[in-house]
Amino acid sequence: LVPDQRGHGETGAADGYSFELLAADLGEFLDEHGLVAPVVVGHSMGAVAAYLHAARHPERVGALVLVESPPPFPQVRPIPERPSEPLTYDWRARVELIGQVNAPDPGWFGELAGVRAPTLVIGGGPTSPFPQEQMRAMAEQIPGGRFHELAVGHGVHREAPEAFVELLTEFLAVHGPDRQVAGGGDVAGSEAG
């Protein structure tokens, strides 16, 4: 299952955009689909929503994969100029979320310690827009977290799909739904940005 984040895909524009709202939306999505303790995979802004949900509802996530997640440390990401062609997302979402990437809640890093699911943090290497040492620090803050770098940039799953799938498959072979004592065999992913 791959949910459209608010303001993306078929969800249409929303009244507001924040990572807290995206995390709450993810929880509602899991509830609506009866997903008890799924594997949650998030890329970029979807990864922030995923780790906030996993930290705040640790019993609700069976395993967690964070791909090129903006780290919960202040960043300097410029707000790009709005493209002239029609967009498949609400431009305001991008502007507001980049603002939160640049000035994240200072408590988010500490919240990572509340994640109880086995977690794989995947960084895109030197050409990533985010410091890899900060992603490594995220993985170290999460009990049961580990970091792996695929040096292909921000779009890890698009730029190196075979290596990404191999890494994900290896992680899920150990920590996936078939290895859980309780929970489900469900997978929910989240991507945007």
Side-chain angles (χ1 to χ4, degrees):
L1 300 171
V2 182
D4 286 339
Q5 295 284 2
R6 62 175 50 219
H8 293 77
E10 296 180 16
T11 62
D15 291 337
Y17 299 97
S18 71
F19 289 115
E20 290 84 2
L21 290 169
L22 296 180
D25 291 346
L26 175 59
E28 289 176 18
F29 177 85
L30 298 178
D31 288 344
E32 287 175 15
H33 288 83
L35 303 175
V36 178
V39 173
V40 178
V41 179
H43 172 257
S44 196
M45 74 176 209
V48 178
Y51 80 65
L52 289 175
H53 174 76
R56 295 169 182 176
H57 306 282
E59 73 289 351
R60 299 291 317 277
V61 176
L64 183 62
V65 180
L66 307 174
V67 184
E68 270 294 294
S69 177
F73 303 101
Q75 305 295 311
V76 183
R77 302 290 309 140
I79 296 182
E81 217 173 281
R82 189 184 196 288
S84 57
E85 67 269 5
L87 301 173
T88 59
Y89 60 93
D90 182 1
W91 180 253
R92 197 167 52 93
R94 183 162 188 168
V95 171
E96 291 180 22
L97 292 169
I98 288 175
Q100 209 170 13
V101 165
N102 289 338
D105 183 309
W108 288 353
F109 183 75
E111 283 192 64
L112 289 170
V115 174
R116 293 293 171 253
T119 302
L120 174 63
V121 178
I122 302 173
T127 59
S128 165
F130 303 114
Q132 299 299 284
E133 65 275 6
Q134 291 180 357
M135 285 188 206
R136 184 179 304 278
M138 290 174 63
E140 291 171 355
Q141 179 73 355
I142 298 169
R146 74 179 189 121
F147 177 78
H148 189 92
E149 186 177 298
L150 289 174
V152 296
H154 189 61
V156 171
H157 56 294
R158 289 185 298 268
E159 300 301 325
E162 291 177 6
F164 174 73
V165 168
E166 182 179 336
L167 186 59
L168 191 59
T169 301
E170 288 173 6
F171 177 74
L172 294 178
V174 176
H175 303 291
D178 293 339
R179 301 292 185 236
Q180 295 178 26
V181 175
D186 306 309
V187 177
S190 181
E191 175 186 0

